[in-house]
Amino acid sequence: MKAGIVGANGYSGAELIRLLLNHPQIKLEMLIAHTNAGTDIQSIYPHFDGIVERTLEDFDADELAKRVDVVFFATPAGVSKHLLPDCLNHGLICIDLSGDFRLKNPQDYADWYQKEPADEALFGDAVYGLAEVNRRRIEGATFISNPGCYPTAALLGLAPVLKNDVIDMTSIIIDGKSGVSGSGKKEVLSNLFCEVNENVKAYKLGRHQHTPEIEQMIAQMSGEQTAITFTTHLIPMTRGLMCTTYANLKQGFSTRELLERYETFYEKSPFVRIRPLGSWPATKEVIGSNYCDIGLNVDGRTRRLTIVSVIDNIVKGAAGQAVQNLNIIKGWDEQTGLGFTPIYP
Amino acid sequence: MKAGIVGANGYSGAELIRLLLNHPQIKLEMLIAHTNAGTDIQSIYPHFDGIVERTLEDFDADELAKRVDVVFFATPAGVSKHLLPDCLNHGLICIDLSGDFRLKNPQDYADWYQKEPADEALFGDAVYGLAEVNRRRIEGATFISNPGCYPTAALLGLAPVLKNDVIDMTSIIIDGKSGVSGSGKKEVLSNLFCEVNENVKAYKLGRHQHTPEIEQMIAQMSGEQTAITFTTHLIPMTRGLMCTTYANLKQGFSTRELLERYETFYEKSPFVRIRPLGSWPATKEVIGSNYCDIGLNVDGRTRRLTIVSVIDNIVKGAAGQAVQNLNIIKGWDEQTGLGFTPIYP
Amino acid sequence: MKAGIVGANGYSGAELIRLLLNHPQIKLEMLIAHTNAGTDIQSIYPHFDGIVERTLEDFDADELAKRVDVVFFATPAGVSKHLLPDCLNHGLICIDLSGDFRLKNPQDYADWYQKEPADEALFGDAVYGLAEVNRRRIEGATFISNPGCYPTAALLGLAPVLKNDVIDMTSIIIDGKSGVSGSGKKEVLSNLFCEVNENVKAYKLGRHQHTPEIEQMIAQMSGEQTAITFTTHLIPMTRGLMCTTYANLKQGFSTRELLERYETFYEKSPFVRIRPLGSWPATKEVIGSNYCDIGLNVDGRTRRLTIVSVIDNIVKGAAGQAVQNLNIIKGWDEQTGLGFTPIYP
Amino acid sequence: MKAGIVGANGYSGAELIRLLLNHPQIKLEMLIAHTNAGTDIQSIYPHFDGIVERTLEDFDADELAKRVDVVFFATPAGVSKHLLPDCLNHGLICIDLSGDFRLKNPQDYADWYQKEPADEALFGDAVYGLAEVNRRRIEGATFISNPGCYPTAALLGLAPVLKNDVIDMTSIIIDGKSGVSGSGKKEVLSNLFCEVNENVKAYKLGRHQHTPEIEQMIAQMSGEQTAITFTTHLIPMTRGLMCTTYANLKQGFSTRELLERYETFYEKSPFVRIRPLGSWPATKEVIGSNYCDIGLNVDGRTRRLTIVSVIDNIVKGAAGQAVQNLNIIKGWDEQTGLGFTPIYP
């Protein structure tokens, strides 16, 4: 199967290249990057020297239709809404890593992204590619919207307790911490080494665009509309993302009981690992891999549950999850090409 | 006035040296370090070369009584409870930076520190040195227990809303993030560069020893006993500590109204700075200084308050606050010797 | 005395503010920043909140002449050559932190900076402000060109052995390592956290613009024209700069003999500290201070000298050295306002 | 083929596990760790959870002989000299990643390692496993001493110019920069985050134990005994190692001519990549992979060559090179199991 990547010069695009090179069913055929068209990928990313040497091309849906079967959009918000429809029309499998097609309600997109939403004909059509939750909907789909990095960690952390009256749905608080690669390869002040290093910064309080995405999926999974508090922090590291999620328990569950529930819930999900009682994951323990590791703690004094979930934001939070989705679409083993052991230390 | 530092070879001890060198009323007279007695401080810390050159001595209360007026204990938990009583008996002003005398209830110490509490005769006698709250009790005191780093940031963040039914007291969640210096100069696995760098780690969920200290002061300030959820995270940075604190509002306050309340509450506290609407502090903005910077956000959708408070854990969270307390004890201007501008970047 | 800072919104400009606030003889009067004129400095740098609150102004030589006595230019290369002459004409003391007036030969500037040199009338007129070497020329001067960060560390490391046939002048190799703040507050790819973190990068081999500056001063000090090899590396840290300098010894000196030579050479230089035999400085040991620390090693097997010299690139390598120069110009104690103890850790 | 790892709980041991899991010809059979025998590897390294779950065993040569074909020693200096001989006697292939068997002269070991050398019967018997240079000697060998991390980068950087009178052999200076993982998982002060972060430190000047190893191989390759200057620096990063190597050219070669010489020299070495004219490698560009990337610069002004060579110290500098050596021993494709694309960013 042949693949094209739009936005191949960004960090998620480069990671897609790394992962797809390792995929036995995929041949990388087109690397597309509007701003660097005509340049060789290895001159932008010398780490690809001798591994993948290919000239970046400009976007052309007709050309894509001729040469590839699947297109990954690793583009900033606001780009795929213009380019992806043509590819869908050409019958290509489209996997969008941006936020353009994640929300079901165009007004939410307009409000939280402060951009024009995609054409209504298409808006809401994408299958939300959170494989562990939506696996059946993904099978055979042709249009996938890949989850955001924060929603991936937050929702995988919450999914097993969203049903059966386990938690008070109005009490959910998600405290997110992310490495800087989550904000992409952008030459802006807030991404400068001197601004990030030796620093922790809270940002976009009350207005992070991943909020409605998380709430939408909580509603899908729980059947209840709820508003969450979601706070994001920039941490001095390149890769890695943690969500520390808090919720009040409706009943007096023990940590052990909930761990069992998580183990059962994720029994058939090879990329989710549950930590044993009294231990919680660190981001470094999943770096370079497609894992989401989860640890729990119930505080008996407050009857409150704390969930710690971690991912590599560029793998499970972007490129890895996209490949996982393709595997499911095609009926391949979900782990095909994704058997990376985390790199430690 | 002459000062001695017990534990001068640790990070808080070294910071006390830096600060006291800058203090016009203080002469550094004795540097005490059990494990390095006989060694010159500048051979352990070459950055003191030519600035302070003095031999570390062993602890001797009689000697201290002869040579100094005030003793700072910058020792690990479990040390000052043995050494400090003798100094008090000699009439010395004692400022303890460790956790040995912070709690009022010996059983809490036993439970949370997993150590024998100090002698009952003395336990609970120290004035808790959170200057912005306890200023009057500190004036003229001779025995101060300096607050922990997390409690300092958490309590300064919460203090203005602990009265008058502003928040639901059962809803308080404190998500703490700390640099590694907070755990001291200890040669343990969890402090190794390779374990901390490019990593975020949650630790001691539900059992961090600063929990009862925070709850005790919340009770003092609010008049209500309450249990909080307190989670701590280790961040890949040396200095800096942030508490992101969540609480449900009992009434529909706006961010602006609460900011005014904070401004008023801290009007006479030169080391607390309130950020304007829509901006939140980053730890780097207080590094090297005794400031605690605070920003707020009310999420109208959830009627929940988020408080972001930051300190330099070794300054306001330890050595700086100790000096501030001495200034208040002696009736000097609270800022004496503490006029450090944060170092940025 | 009143001071103005041109380029107050950059990192060196901000550091000048921090240092001058601490200077008993200086009143900060004008903060100038072309791109941010009209903005308050504390909205750009919240760490100044409550400490210095002042609106950034546009450059105006007449206005400066009315309001200040000394102007610091903390501007990128190519700016002060346009602005500074007017200030000089108005009789202001001018201290230029950029590279515009460091070289004596305009062609060198054109070749190495790839820019038009300043007007020939002025080019070469500035006194090179390496205080430890040029102290007498600086006294009473009105036009100082402040040394570059690399030249400061390299030249202080080399100065004591440049005379009396100690080293083979053709054998000098300087291997420099710098933190990222050395490249300023510039939103370029190479300054992004994700590009710098967990990385070491060699850059500008054989064409770093500090090369002719170092060679020019080696020639002044030794009386010999020589070409050096100078290689610079970007290190994942914010502040700090190290030069590891290699030179072949002409005679069989021991490390001890050379250490004595260094101690003597810098006897009256309060900001240079020589490390004892067998120990070498780390950059962290001078951070936040105006020190340059130096350690030596003679390898008897190769009869080669290795010199390790470190500075805080924004203090001794920029703002601190500029203040030191002003102190010397005015005949104040060289350390006035510069008594900062390094911040460790 | 079955493999055992002695020292599986260290960083190089853990990396060997990661690499061997990916090797189609190898089955991991025994993980040995004296200090953690009886513990599960995944409780020490949670990143192995669900990937490799195996109990660490104590060292037992008889047991090894029964169960494995090849033993990797990822042990600190001074350990394999005691354990490895027994394994050799049992006919096992032994690959030693420590320094115990690298030197040919026992006195050098005693002098530079300050330890007793291994038994003379065996000392000097190992084949030095620098594949790109010693490939033929490695084929079919049973006892390999894997090169040190610094020697790997330094020697691959120098090899192509060590013959034919290209450089002055007395002029070689190697300035090394290494991440902290190079010093292993050791709980010592110099490995603490707070000591390394925001810091660069030169260490062991004139007495680093890799010096005689480099000189020995320079002699083998060039036919000339020479003494080098070798300086090492600790950099605030976890993985990655760079050698910046300086040498005087005997003739007026251009950078381009030397680049061609390097390309030719490494034509059949898949893990060495030469950078084009005017570009030099950064350590991040090889992280997670077995590559050594090399860039050159000839400074016409000084007729001096600068070589920049980078590796991932735990892969090409340790575990990866060990696997590469096994591939060569067994006649498998040199890249078997080592096809990792570097992880960027």
Side-chain angles (χ1 to χ4, degrees), chain C residues 170 175 177 194-195 197-200 215 228-229 231 233 237-238 244 246 282-284 301-302 304 344, chain D residues 170 175 177 194-195 197-200 215 228-229 231 233 237-238 244 246 282-284 301 304 344:
Chain C
T170 68
D175 188 284
K177 296 103 181 153
C194 293
E195 301 292 322
N197 187 40
E198 276 289 287
N199 203 4
V200 180
E215 290 176 353
I228 60 166
T229 291
T231 309
H233 300 80
M237 61 186 193
T238 301
T244 313
Y246 303 94
T283 55
K284 205 176 182 65
R301 303 183 324 128
T302 56
R304 194 172 281 133
Y344 194 96
Chain D
T170 68
D175 189 285
K177 295 103 180 154
C194 293
E195 300 291 324
N197 188 42
E198 275 289 286
N199 203 3
V200 180
E215 290 177 353
I228 60 166
T229 291
T231 309
H233 300 80
M237 62 186 191
T238 300
T244 313
Y246 303 93
T283 55
K284 206 175 184 63
R301 303 183 324 129
R304 194 171 282 133
Y344 195 97

Side-chain angles (χ1 to χ4, degrees), chain A residues 170-222:
Chain A
T170 68
S171 71
I172 301 172
I173 295 174
I174 301 166
D175 189 283
K177 295 103 181 153
S178 174
V180 187
S181 61
S183 92
K185 195 178 177 179
K186 274 186 299 194
E187 290 146 356
V188 294
L189 186 67
S190 56
N191 284 350
L192 293 189
F193 184 87
C194 293
E195 300 291 323
V196 174
N197 187 41
E198 276 290 285
N199 202 3
V200 180
K201 195 176 175 59
Y203 64 103
K204 290 192 188 173
L205 269 78
R207 53 187 177 80
H208 195 287
Q209 72 277 9
H210 286 168
T211 311
E213 180 182 341
I214 297 172
E215 290 177 351
Q216 174 177 290
M217 278 304 287
I218 287 179
Q220 179 196 307
M221 290 192 269
S222 69

Side-chain angles (χ1 to χ4, degrees), chain B residues 243-263:
Chain B
C243 284
T244 313
T245 302
Y246 303 94
N248 296 337
L249 290 171
K250 287 200 159 176
Q251 311 162 43
F253 292 103
S254 71
T255 307
R256 196 177 301 274
E257 285 166 324
L258 292 179
L259 284 171
E260 277 166 27
R261 181 181 290 255
Y262 276 68
E263 287 285 4

Side-chain angles (χ1 to χ4, degrees), chain B residues 211-288:
Chain B
T211 310
E213 180 181 341
I214 297 171
E215 290 177 352
Q216 173 177 290
M217 278 305 286
I218 288 179
Q220 180 196 307
M221 290 192 269
S222 70
E224 280 183 61
Q225 293 291 342
T226 190
I228 60 165
T229 291
F230 174 47
T231 309
T232 50
H233 301 81
L234 197 61
I235 296 294
M237 61 187 194
T238 300
R239 285 179 183 235
L241 184 152
M242 175 184 283
C243 284
T244 313
T245 302
Y246 303 94
N248 296 337
L249 290 171
K250 287 200 159 176
Q251 311 162 43
F253 292 103
S254 71
T255 307
R256 196 177 301 274
E257 285 166 324
L258 292 179
L259 284 171
E260 277 166 27
R261 181 181 290 255
Y262 276 68
E263 287 285 4
T264 306
F265 189 94
Y266 289 120
E267 210 167 17
K268 294 185 178 162
S269 290
F271 291 119
V272 178
R273 303 189 295 190
I274 309 301
R275 286 301 158 84
L277 187 68
S279 109
W280 306 278
T283 55
K284 206 177 182 65
E285 291 156 7
V286 297
I287 294 308

Side-chain angles (χ1 to χ4, degrees), chain A residues 27-295:
Chain A
K27 188 177 171 308
L28 259 182
E29 174 63 28
M30 278 188 84
L31 301 183
I32 291 164
H34 181 63
T35 47
N36 293 113
T39 310
D40 290 344
I41 185 73
Q42 73 272 23
S43 76
I44 295 176
Y45 287 117
H47 72 283
F48 283 139
D49 215 50
I51 301 174
V52 55
E53 307 196 329
R54 187 177 285 275
T55 304
L56 292 166
E57 305 181 46
D58 216 333
F59 180 83
D60 180 333
D62 296 333
E63 185 70 15
L64 273 164
K66 278 184 219 149
R67 290 166 53 191
V68 312
D69 307 292
V70 56
V71 189
F72 295 91
F73 290 84
T75 43
V79 174
S80 65
K81 68 184 177 195
H82 297 302
L83 309 181
L84 185 145
D86 248 11
C87 294
L88 271 187
N89 290 339
H90 276 95
L92 294 171
I93 297 174
C94 290
I95 301 180
D96 182 18
L97 283 75
S98 86
D100 278 13
F101 294 100
R102 290 187 198 140
L103 302 179
K104 298 303 175 196
N105 178 351
Q107 190 57 45
D108 281 348
Y109 185 86
D111 289 348
W112 291 86
Y113 282 81
Q114 301 284 310
K115 288 178 196 286
E116 277 295 301
D119 196 81
E120 242 178 287
L122 214 51
F123 205 96
D125 277 11
V127 174
Y128 187 73
L130 188 66
E132 286 74 12
V133 169
N134 273 352
R135 201 173 273 115
R136 287 203 191 143
R137 303 180 198 207
I138 297 165
E139 290 166 10
T142 54
F143 179 17
I144 299 286
S145 180
N146 216 50
C149 49
Y150 280 119
T152 298
L155 293 168
L156 291 178
L158 276 167
V161 289
L162 287 178
K163 281 196 173 159
N164 302 318
D165 248 18
V166 178
I167 59 168
D168 171 358
M169 296 299 294
T170 68
S171 71
I172 301 172
I173 295 174
I174 301 166
D175 189 283
K177 295 103 181 153
S178 174
V180 187
S181 61
S183 92
K185 195 178 177 179
K186 274 186 299 194
E187 290 146 356
V188 294
L189 186 67
S190 56
N191 284 350
L192 293 189
F193 184 87
C194 293
E195 300 291 323
V196 174
N197 187 41
E198 276 290 285
N199 202 3
V200 180
K201 195 176 175 59
Y203 64 103
K204 290 192 188 173
L205 269 78
R207 53 187 177 80
H208 195 287
Q209 72 277 9
H210 286 168
T211 311
E213 180 182 341
I214 297 172
E215 290 177 351
Q216 174 177 290
M217 278 304 287
I218 287 179
Q220 179 196 307
M221 290 192 269
S222 69
E224 281 183 61
Q225 293 291 343
T226 191
I228 60 166
T229 292
F230 173 48
T231 309
T232 52
H233 300 81
L234 197 62
I235 297 293
M237 61 186 193
T238 300
R239 285 180 183 235
L241 183 152
M242 175 183 283
C243 284
T244 313
T245 302
Y246 303 94
N248 296 338
L249 290 170
K250 288 201 160 174
Q251 311 162 44
F253 292 104
S254 70
T255 307
R256 197 177 300 274
E257 285 166 322
L258 292 179
L259 285 171
E260 276 166 29
R261 182 182 287 256
Y262 275 69
E263 286 286 4
T264 306
F265 189 94
Y266 288 119
E267 209 167 19
K268 293 182 179 163
S269 290
F271 291 120
V272 178
R273 302 188 296 189
I274 308 302
R275 285 301 160 82
L277 188 68
S279 109
W280 306 277
T283 55
K284 206 175 182 65
E285 290 156 7
V286 297
I287 294 309
S289 83
N290 200 46
Y291 289 106
C292 174
D293 284 8
I294 300 173

Side-chain angles (χ1 to χ4, degrees), chain C residues 119-144:
Chain C
D119 196 81
E120 241 178 289
L122 214 51
F123 205 96
D125 276 12
V127 173
Y128 188 74
L130 189 66
E132 286 73 13
V133 169
N134 271 353
R135 200 172 275 116
R136 288 205 191 143
R137 303 181 198 207
I138 297 165
E139 291 166 8
T142 54
F143 179 17
I144 298 286

